[in-house]
Amino acid sequence: MGKKKHGDDASIPIEIGSSDLAYNGYPISKHRSCWIHVVGYLRGCRKKISKQDLLDIELTAPCFLDSIPCRTRTNRRVKSKNSISKQKSKLDSGSFECYFGTIWSRFPEDKRALFTYLDCQWFAWYRKTSYRQKVLSWIKRKEIFSKTYVLVPIVCWDHWSLLIFCHLGESSQSKTRTPCVLLLDSLQMSDPMRLEPDIRKFMLDIYKAEGRPENKQMIYKIPLLVPKVPQQRNGKECGNFVLYFIKLFVESAPKNFSIEGYPYFMEKDWFHAEAVERFCERLDSPRKLD
């Protein structure tokens, strides 16, 4: 088998030949659920598929190996021991993207119009210097400054958390549409603020890549808020909590986010851990999400 590149968060994008392997304009992740896209892409380019090409497609997020595989969307109830509601290890990035896609598709259009989102691996790839500029170019396509909210699921140090950019395109002087950043973490004992240096640098580079007029001092003054949200009960639930954070936040977020209204609904009693379990069971039976 091909050699695996281990790190603390995720694998880097693969390259075959002289160009990046991509699907719909974005890099194809190295997990089993994307093999069909890889093969289809190579055939579409009339490139001969070698055995080594397939061997080079590795699992993403190596720290999450042996976790549940991504499945195709179905209306039948999933009874597999590998379903999200019965998993015994953390979500890998491929599985996370599949479940996120199911959740996103069920939000009404008026809600989705306020939001955009970044791939759950982009923050990890951004932290790798050699891929930083590529990630920034992918983010630029998302036109995040035209959206009220930007969802950024991140996985670092074997742990999932959720970053949310609010009103990045607005003036820092606004009282009703305050530019700020939320960091939702279901394991606050792990010190979520240790991510702040990387988050600040990430934001600064995004602003620069967009040619925005804000300087470093202004960007570093944007509030980074860590609400005291419900906490996971073991070391395996962080990915599930992030999916549930996304669902509830999109459903409840105000059209205009103001610091004066913070923390809104994001408090310790926002929901109970049992609600996350029921949510995961419904994810494995998509018809129950409606």
Side-chain angles (χ1 to χ4, degrees), residues 13 49 56-57 81 90 161 196 203 205 209 249 252 260 266:
I49 305 172
D56 285 341
I57 303 168
K81 64 181 180 179
K90 296 178 182 177
S161 52
E196 182 174 14
M203 293 176 63
D205 284 345
F249 187 89
S252 304
E260 294 180 358
M266 296 171 287

Side-chain angles (χ1 to χ4, degrees), residues 28-129:
I28 292 177
S29 305
K30 295 182 286 184
H31 51 74
R32 286 166 291 183
S33 65
C34 288
W35 280 33
I36 187 171
H37 298 322
V38 173
V39 174
Y41 176 89
L42 293 174
R43 285 176 176 167
C45 294
R46 297 184 179 180
K47 175 180 176 65
K48 183 178 180 180
I49 305 172
S50 68
K51 184 179 294 185
Q52 187 59 46
D53 286 339
L54 296 179
L55 291 178
D56 285 341
I57 303 168
E58 303 169 350
L59 288 172
T60 56
C63 53
F64 300 144
L65 291 179
D66 299 322
S67 58
I68 65 176
C70 181
R71 56 174 176 77
T72 55
R73 206 171 292 168
T74 176
N75 287 328
R76 294 182 301 169
R77 182 172 180 79
V78 177
K79 295 183 179 181
S80 169
K81 64 181 180 179
N82 289 326
S83 62
I84 189 173
S85 57
K86 296 180 180 180
Q87 66 182 19
K88 295 183 179 180
S89 57
K90 296 178 182 177
L91 284 177
D92 63 60
S93 53
S95 301
F96 182 96
E97 288 291 336
C98 286
Y99 286 116
F100 174 81
T102 298
I103 298 166
W104 182 259
S105 68
R106 283 164 170 73
F107 291 136
E109 185 59 36
D110 62 326
K111 284 292 185 182
R112 284 187 291 178
L114 296 174
F115 287 79
T116 190
Y117 57 87
L118 305 187
D119 185 286
C120 68
Q121 296 183 89
W122 286 4
F123 184 80
W125 288 345
Y126 165 82
R127 297 174 71 224
K128 301 177 186 295
T129 305

Side-chain angles (χ1 to χ4, degrees), residues 106-162:
R106 283 164 170 73
F107 291 136
E109 185 59 36
D110 62 326
K111 284 292 185 182
R112 284 187 291 178
L114 296 174
F115 287 79
T116 190
Y117 57 87
L118 305 187
D119 185 286
C120 68
Q121 296 183 89
W122 286 4
F123 184 80
W125 288 345
Y126 165 82
R127 297 174 71 224
K128 301 177 186 295
T129 305
S130 58
Y131 284 89
R132 185 163 297 163
Q133 293 306 313
K134 290 186 178 182
V135 171
L136 293 171
S137 70
W138 299 331
I139 293 174
K140 192 172 183 179
R141 300 177 196 172
K142 304 289 284 188
E143 300 180 347
I144 66 175
F145 288 93
S146 67
K147 296 294 184 177
T148 303
Y149 301 104
V150 183
L151 304 171
V152 189
I154 57 179
V155 54
C156 286
W157 303 303
D158 198 14
H159 179 63
W160 289 91
S161 52
L162 177 63

Side-chain angles (χ1 to χ4, degrees), residues 116-269:
T116 190
Y117 57 87
L118 305 187
D119 185 286
C120 68
Q121 296 183 89
W122 286 4
F123 184 80
W125 288 345
Y126 165 82
R127 297 174 71 224
K128 301 177 186 295
T129 305
S130 58
Y131 284 89
R132 185 163 297 163
Q133 293 306 313
K134 290 186 178 182
V135 171
L136 293 171
S137 70
W138 299 331
I139 293 174
K140 192 172 183 179
R141 300 177 196 172
K142 304 289 284 188
E143 300 180 347
I144 66 175
F145 288 93
S146 67
K147 296 294 184 177
T148 303
Y149 301 104
V150 183
L151 304 171
V152 189
I154 57 179
V155 54
C156 286
W157 303 303
D158 198 14
H159 179 63
W160 289 91
S161 52
L162 177 63
L163 196 64
I164 305 175
F165 296 143
C166 307
H167 296 303
L168 287 192
E170 300 296 331
S171 168
S172 59
Q173 305 303 316
S174 175
K175 299 297 183 182
T176 58
R177 310 182 78 181
T178 314
C180 64
V181 182
L182 304 173
L183 180 57
L184 278 59
D185 196 316
S186 61
L187 192 65
Q188 293 196 354
M189 63 183 293
S190 67
D191 185 21
M193 288 302 289
R194 63 180 173 165
L195 283 170
E196 182 174 14
D198 285 335
I199 292 172
R200 295 292 186 186
K201 183 66 168 61
F202 187 47
M203 293 176 63
L204 178 62
D205 284 345
I206 289 174
Y207 273 82
K208 286 182 176 179
E210 291 280 353
R212 300 281 301 185
E214 292 86 350
N215 59 35
K216 180 177 179 179
Q217 183 178 12
M218 295 172 65
I219 295 169
Y220 274 61
K221 284 185 177 180
I222 294 175
L224 174 57
L225 309 171
V226 184
K228 295 182 178 180
V229 295
Q231 300 292 283
Q232 63 193 73
R233 298 168 300 180
N234 58 50
K236 308 295 184 182
E237 296 179 313
C238 51
N240 299 353
F241 268 72
V242 167
L243 288 170
Y244 200 49
F245 287 153
I246 290 171
K247 178 182 184 297
L248 296 188
F249 187 89
V250 173
E251 291 176 343
S252 304
K255 289 186 177 179
N256 296 317
F257 193 95
S258 171
I259 294 292
E260 294 180 358
Y262 176 81
Y264 290 96
F265 44 83
M266 296 171 287
E267 298 180 329
K268 287 183 178 180
D269 59 354

